[in-house]
Amino acid sequence: MTNAEAVAVLAVRVVLGVIMIAHGLNHWRGGGKIEGTARWFGGLGLRYGTLQAWMSVVTEVGAGALLVLGLFTPLACAAVVSVMLVAGLLAHRPNGFFVFKDGYEYVLMLAAVSLALGVLGPGKISVDHAADIEVTGWAGGGIALGVAVVATAGLLATFWRPERPAERAATTEDASVTGAAGPGTADVG
């Protein structure tokens, strides 16, 4: 890897890492704080919203910090890809592609960049390189994608229980009668 390539990979890694840290901190301290994030996850059909909220904070801040350092890069990339898969599937897919319509365009881009970093590796300006533990190429990409898919499937199989259309209609009808907000109305994302 040339010096220019190492600096380019560093820039991408740091920007993605900072984005993930900011996103995780927003889930914790922004808008509705952890309680609002928990309600939002519940509205997406995930059980144990508070647990989901804290898992998202720890995963996003942790993966972001690892990316900034260039440490355990394929695993950090896997965490980002997994978070983006969950976000894309549950929150953004129903809205179509374009980000201005709250579609999955943005989360797809973050996942693709993360997968590319998994393949390229952290570069020469990283803890992985300094410690001689870099995993790059197909192995790095395979770890990033494989761990992400398994983690996402495990999370969805364990925690995702979306409302059935009849339940959703009953909740909406109850809310309109009482004036209360339904479970899917809090959005802190």
Side-chain angles (χ1 to χ4, degrees), residues 7-188:
V7 170
V9 169
L10 172 66
V12 170
R13 221 182 59 229
V14 168
V15 168
L16 180 60
V18 169
I19 286 170
M20 294 308 298
I21 291 168
H23 202 255
L25 292 175
N26 184 60
H27 277 175
W28 178 22
R29 308 293 296 167
K33 306 221 181 302
I34 205 74
E35 297 82 13
T37 301
R39 284 190 305 274
W40 183 67
F41 278 118
L44 293 175
L46 290 167
R47 294 185 303 171
Y48 309 110
T50 301
L51 173 65
Q52 300 303 321
W54 280 113
M55 284 183 4
S56 75
V57 169
V58 170
T59 302
E60 291 167 359
V61 171
L66 290 174
L67 284 170
V68 168
L69 295 170
L71 178 61
F72 306 127
T73 304
L75 295 176
C77 292
V80 174
V81 171
S82 182
V83 167
M84 295 306 123
L85 279 171
V86 172
L89 291 169
L90 300 188
H92 300 286
R93 183 178 51 90
N95 303 318
F97 177 74
F98 293 106
V99 70
F100 60 85
K101 293 183 177 182
D102 203 23
Y104 60 87
E105 177 181 18
Y106 176 68
V107 297
L108 177 62
M109 179 56 70
L110 292 180
V113 167
S114 297
L115 184 56
L117 275 175
V119 172
L120 293 172
K124 294 190 286 188
I125 309 167
S126 67
V127 175
D128 282 348
H129 182 77
D132 198 28
I133 58 171
E134 277 181 286
V135 179
T136 62
W138 291 114
I143 290 169
L145 184 59
V147 170
V149 168
V150 169
T152 301
L155 179 124
L156 294 177
T158 305
F159 296 108
W160 188 45
R161 300 295 182 268
E163 287 183 342
R164 292 184 186 99
E167 292 170 347
R168 190 175 305 120
T171 302
T172 304
E173 185 176 300
D174 291 346
S176 67
V177 169
T178 64
T185 59
D187 184 3
V188 298

